[in-house]
């Protein structure tokens, strides 16, 4: 009986919490909660003695300590030249031991950290300039991190209440940032505005290193010295438009997902013409003055446009459209697992970062709910979108089915929030929802799903259709057999709190042998991101 009462109280608290987030009238629920708590307290006073209470408190304390020991390390990840270890319990300097193992041709810094990290095996750490980082559960209550390099390693340790930061100091290529102190475990940290969000599109293999826009200029960077003989420029008028074309010798790996945008220019198209020629074509209804300068390894194309023309030709979406991208799962929640222990959380984050970069290049204001391998509660993921007054919210995920069906089921699908009508939608929603609301009853979920905002559902449906079409078109430029699983409705909890059109994209099935291989391919991830961006463009053109 006591268990039933406590279950009702816990469930009612969750209903009230979610109701307040959705700005619903929860006063009747609060009155019910008061009655239940009052009744429970009364029964507790009549049926329990102080000795039993002391015994229970002692047991609870033991259980709490045991739980903390088992799951004391929350996450381990790298940021620039630092390894960051987050804990679920308070720590001090006695919880970490350090020693060196210097061999003839190899130097090692060894850190033994008190605690258990359940994801020690799948977690891979890497710092540029350091040969190797090994992570392993050395003992049941000791995590060992080993830094290995051919040269002597200079490292330092800083300790906060629930965080250890190991900094590698002798890496000249890395800029040391301030340590990330653990302020709130569930705090959502959006990506900050960065001057150059295009680092993911640097081509170190071919002659052209990077093509991007900055301060109304097109910047082309090279991996070798260029001269004017490597660049041809021509300008002419055709079909009422002014055309300015740059033919640049060389190859650029990321020409497919690249989209350039400059205020005052109607259209910029970049293509790879043959194996050794990149063409950048600027098309405009107004004759703009185009200048360019070449400095060995950098070409800068400058566009001088009259002020009034720039205002007229600037798409409205560039001025005021805000997009929040959510990379599903993260941290301890790895999501679905594919062949060879491939994790959904990795694919989701990679595609989200590519999408962030592409949308920024096109002029949108973009935020990420997470930009590293960390977990954020499902209910908290839309908080950032609401705070930023976002126009749309996109949650990125990867699908999966049991092993017996792994070879049969593949394809891309896009969901929008609505009570599920099909068993397929229910299955996918259950898979994505389980990280946060597995303890809630179906009746609690239905309370909110029944009160959904219909106009917002309609807008979300339109967004889902455009994004699904965009992804398929982009993905099929490389793989003609990419399956279309369609646009579906489902009860995804990550979308419930969003006060704007919101969708959940399933990029494919990580459980499928062939699709899993594609999903882990960098070029395919960029194609998927580009397709989502094209769908966003299409949606805003029709729904300004």
């Amino acid at each position: 009986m006591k268990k039933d009462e406590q279950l009702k109280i816990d469930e009612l608290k969750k209903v009230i919490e979610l109701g307040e987030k959705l700005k619903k009238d929860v006063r009747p629920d609060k009155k019910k909660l008061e009655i239940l708590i009052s009744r429970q307290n009364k029964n507790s006073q009549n049926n329990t003695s102080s000795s039993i209470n002391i015994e229970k408190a002692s047991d609870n304390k033991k259980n709490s300590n045991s739980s903390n020991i088992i799951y004391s390390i929350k996450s381990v990840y790298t940021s620039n030249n630092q390894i960051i270890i987050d804990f679920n319990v308070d720590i001090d300097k006695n919880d970490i031991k350090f020693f060196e193992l210097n061999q003839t041709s190899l130097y090692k810094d060894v850190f033994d950290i008190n605690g258990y990290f359940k994801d020690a095996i799948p977690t891979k750490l890497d710092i540029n300039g350091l040969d190797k980082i090994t992570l392993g559960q050395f003992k049941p209550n000791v995590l060992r991190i080993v830094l290995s390099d051919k040269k002597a390693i200079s490292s330092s340790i800083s300790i906060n209440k629930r965080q250890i930061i190991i900094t590698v100091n002798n890496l000249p290529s890395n800029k040391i940032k301030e340590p990330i102190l653990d302020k709130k475990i569930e705090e959502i940290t959006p990506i900050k505005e960065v001057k150059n969000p295009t680092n993911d599109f640097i081509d170190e293999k071919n002659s052209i290193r990077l093509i991007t826009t900055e301060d109304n200029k097109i910047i082309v960077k090279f991996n070798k010295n260029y001269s004017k003989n490597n660049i041809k420029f021509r300008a002419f008028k055709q079909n009422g438009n002014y055309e300015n074309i740059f033919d640049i010798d060389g190859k650029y790996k990321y020409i497919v997902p690249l989209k350039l945008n400059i205020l005052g220019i109607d259209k910029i198209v970049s293509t790879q013409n043959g194996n050794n020629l990149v063409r950048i074509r600027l098309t405009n209804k107004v004759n703009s003055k185009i200048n360019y300068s070449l400095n060995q390894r950098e070409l800068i194309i400058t566009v001088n446009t009259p002020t009034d023309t720039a205002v007229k030709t600037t798409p409205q979406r560039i001025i005021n459209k805000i997009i929040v991208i959510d990379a599903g799962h993260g941290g301890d929640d790895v999501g679905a697992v594919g062949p060879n222990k491939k994790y959904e959380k990795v694919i989701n984050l990679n595609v989200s970062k590519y999408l962030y970069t592409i949308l920024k290049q096109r002029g949108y204001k973009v935020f990420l709910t997470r930009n590293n391998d960390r977990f954020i509660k499902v209910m908290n993921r839309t908080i950032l979108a609401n705070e930023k007054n976002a126009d749309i919210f996109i949650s990125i995920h990867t699908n999966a089915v049991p092993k017996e069906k792994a070879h049969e089921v593949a394809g891309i699908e896009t969901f929008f929030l609505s009570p599920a009508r099909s068993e397929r939608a229910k299955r996918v929603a259950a898979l994505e929802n389980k990280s946060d609301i597995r303890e809630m009853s179906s009746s609690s979920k239905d309370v909110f799903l029944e009160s959904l905002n219909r106009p917002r559902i309609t807008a979300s449906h339109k967004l889902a259709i455009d994004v699904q079409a965009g992804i398929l078109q982009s993905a099929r430029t490389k793989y003609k057999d990419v399956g279309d699983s369609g646009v579906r409705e489902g009860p995804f909890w990550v979308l419930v709190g969003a006060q704007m059109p919101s969708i959940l994209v399933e990029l494919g099935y990580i459980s499928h042998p062939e699709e899993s291989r594609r999903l882990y391919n960098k070029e395919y991830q960029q194609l998927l991101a580009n397709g989502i961006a094209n769908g966003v463009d299409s949606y805003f053109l029709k729904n300004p």
Side-chain angles (χ1 to χ4, degrees):
M1 190 69 181
K2 289 179 183 177
K3 288 183 178 178
D4 291 341
E5 284 186 0
Q6 187 58 46
L7 189 64
K8 287 179 182 178
I9 290 171
D10 292 341
E11 192 169 287
L12 201 53
K13 284 179 179 179
K14 291 183 177 70
V15 169
I16 292 169
E17 182 184 352
L18 286 172
E20 288 175 339
K21 286 185 178 181
L22 293 170
K23 299 181 179 178
K24 303 293 182 184
D25 185 4
V26 293
R27 285 175 293 180
D29 294 318
K30 286 185 176 180
K31 287 183 180 178
K32 289 179 186 177
L33 181 62
E34 288 176 7
I35 293 170
L36 285 172
I37 292 174
S38 175
R39 187 188 302 165
Q40 187 187 53
N41 291 338
K42 189 175 180 181
N43 291 337
S44 176
Q45 288 172 1
N46 293 334
N47 299 325
T48 60
S49 66
S50 59
S51 61
I52 294 174
N53 283 337
I54 292 168
E55 190 176 324
K56 283 187 177 180
S58 175
D59 289 341
N60 288 338
K61 188 173 182 181
K62 287 178 183 177
N63 292 335
S64 176
N65 289 338
S66 173
S67 176
N68 285 341
I69 291 170
I70 294 172
Y71 301 109
S72 56
I73 299 178
K74 181 183 178 183
S75 62
V76 182
Y77 57 95
T78 57
S79 177
N80 294 300
N81 62 328
Q82 298 175 332
I83 300 171
I84 300 166
I85 305 103
D86 289 328
F87 292 80
N88 289 318
V89 295
D90 291 347
I91 55 163
D92 57 34
K93 62 181 180 180
N94 297 319
D95 288 304
I96 184 167
K97 294 178 182 177
F98 165 74
F99 59 93
E100 294 179 340
L101 290 174
N102 297 334
Q103 301 169 355
T104 307
S105 58
L106 193 65
Y107 295 86
K108 292 184 179 181
D109 279 12
V110 182
F111 301 86
D112 282 345
I113 302 162
N114 290 342
Y116 178 75
F117 182 43
K118 66 177 183 178
D119 290 327
I121 293 175
T123 300
K124 304 295 181 187
L125 302 177
D126 182 70
I127 290 178
N128 289 333
L130 195 65
D131 289 347
K132 189 178 180 181
I133 303 175
T134 306
L135 177 76
Q137 196 66 46
F138 179 59
K139 294 180 181 179
N141 62 339
V142 176
L143 179 72
R144 173 167 287 182
I145 298 175
V146 181
L147 313 183
S148 306
D149 205 278
K150 295 182 182 67
K151 60 181 182 298
I153 303 168
S154 172
S155 60
S156 59
I157 304 167
S158 61
I159 300 173
N160 193 37
K161 278 187 177 181
R162 295 197 172 193
Q163 190 175 71
I164 291 175
I165 298 175
I166 301 170
T167 303
V168 183
N169 300 309
N170 59 337
L171 298 176
S173 60
N174 289 332
K175 294 180 180 178
I176 300 175
K177 291 186 176 181
E178 290 295 318
I180 304 170
L181 297 179
D182 186 9
K183 294 181 181 177
K184 285 185 180 178
I185 293 299
E186 299 300 340
E187 183 180 2
I188 296 176
T189 309
I191 257 190
K192 294 182 179 179
E193 296 293 330
V194 289
K195 291 183 178 179
N196 182 17
T198 58
N199 290 334
D200 287 327
F201 293 98
I202 290 177
D203 184 352
E204 296 182 349
K205 181 180 178 182
N206 297 300
S207 53
I208 298 176
R209 181 178 180 83
L210 176 69
I211 303 176
T212 186
T213 56
E214 187 178 315
D215 297 330
N216 232 35
K217 299 174 183 177
I218 299 173
I219 298 173
V220 184
K221 295 187 177 183
F222 307 102
N223 286 318
K224 63 179 184 179
N225 291 341
Y226 264 55
S227 68
K228 289 187 177 180
N229 295 328
N230 299 116
I231 299 166
K232 294 181 177 64
F233 171 67
R234 51 200 172 98
F236 55 89
K237 189 174 182 180
Q238 181 178 324
N239 299 327
N241 290 321
Y242 292 91
E243 306 282 355
N244 293 271
I245 298 176
F246 289 85
D247 285 336
I248 305 167
D249 292 345
K251 187 176 181 179
Y252 182 51
K253 184 178 180 180
Y254 304 113
I255 201 73
V256 172
L258 184 67
K259 288 282 179 131
L260 302 175
N261 195 294
I262 286 181
L263 300 181
I265 296 296
D266 295 335
K267 190 177 182 181
I268 303 176
V269 177
S270 53
T271 56
Q272 183 74 50
N273 292 11
N275 289 325
N276 202 38
L277 183 71
V278 167
R279 173 168 291 175
I280 300 175
R281 187 186 194 113
L282 295 84
T283 303
N284 206 30
K285 292 179 181 178
V286 179
N287 189 12
S288 301
K289 189 177 180 181
I290 309 290
N291 297 317
Y292 72 95
S293 61
L294 178 65
N295 182 18
Q296 291 187 337
R297 296 201 172 196
E298 185 176 72
L299 170 68
I300 300 176
I301 302 170
T302 306
V303 179
N304 295 317
T305 309
T307 305
D308 57 341
T309 303
V311 173
K312 289 178 185 177
T313 58
T314 301
Q316 186 67 21
R317 64 170 174 79
I318 294 177
I319 299 173
N320 61 5
K321 297 302 180 186
I322 301 171
I323 301 169
V324 170
I325 305 165
D326 170 51
H329 305 283
D332 293 340
D333 177 18
V334 300
V337 181
N340 302 318
K341 290 188 177 179
K342 292 180 178 177
Y343 295 124
E344 176 190 352
K345 66 176 185 176
V346 177
I347 299 170
N348 298 344
L349 184 58
N350 288 349
V351 173
S352 295
K353 284 183 174 180
Y354 288 133
L355 179 58
Y356 170 88
T357 300
I358 294 168
L359 290 173
K360 288 281 286 184
Q361 285 182 332
R362 298 187 186 186
Y364 294 100
K365 191 171 184 179
V366 193
F367 298 92
L368 287 169
T369 57
R370 69 178 181 97
N371 60 357
N372 54 33
D373 186 19
R374 62 192 295 265
F375 176 72
I376 300 169
K377 278 191 175 181
V378 170
M379 289 183 293
N380 291 342
R381 290 178 182 253
T382 52
I383 290 176
L384 176 67
N386 295 335
E387 286 178 350
K388 297 297 180 183
N389 197 25
D391 292 283
I392 60 173
F393 175 82
I394 303 173
S395 191
I396 306 296
H397 288 259
T398 312
N399 221 329
V401 291
K403 286 183 179 180
E404 57 269 20
K405 294 184 179 180
H407 289 265
E408 304 170 12
V409 185
I412 298 168
E413 56 194 325
T414 305
F415 289 87
F416 63 98
L417 180 65
S418 183
R421 294 181 182 177
S422 69
E423 289 303 316
R424 181 191 182 101
K426 289 178 181 177
R427 176 187 62 76
V428 178
L431 186 67
E432 302 300 355
N433 290 340
K434 69 178 182 179
S435 65
D436 200 59
I437 60 163
R438 53 180 177 268
E439 75 280 7
M440 292 189 68
S441 68
S442 58
S443 59
S444 298
K445 301 170 191 175
D446 291 341
V447 170
F448 296 97
L449 294 172
E450 288 169 4
S451 61
L452 294 173
N453 181 296
R454 279 290 151 191
R456 194 160 66 236
I457 289 178
T458 302
S460 298
H461 190 188
K462 291 178 181 179
L463 175 61
I465 291 171
D466 287 330
V467 167
Q468 178 73 6
I471 303 174
L472 288 172
Q473 186 179 25
S474 181
R476 285 173 178 171
T477 60
K478 187 172 180 66
Y479 300 108
K480 303 296 182 185
D481 62 342
V482 172
D484 178 10
S485 297
V487 172
R488 301 172 183 272
E489 52 186 319
F492 292 91
W493 225 242
V494 70
L495 305 179
V496 167
Q499 297 170 5
M500 71 291 300
S502 55
I503 60 172
L504 184 144
V505 179
E506 295 283 2
L507 299 168
Y509 282 77
I510 195 173
S511 50
H512 189 275
E514 176 59 25
E515 197 158 63
S516 173
R517 184 186 63 78
R518 294 176 185 177
L519 286 166
Y520 252 71
N521 179 271
K522 188 175 181 180
E523 290 183 11
Y524 187 63
Q525 290 174 356
Q526 291 165 356
L527 281 175
L528 294 172
N530 193 58
I532 297 172
N534 291 344
V536 169
D537 279 344
S538 179
Y539 171 77
F540 281 128
L541 283 172
K542 291 180 280 188
N543 303 275

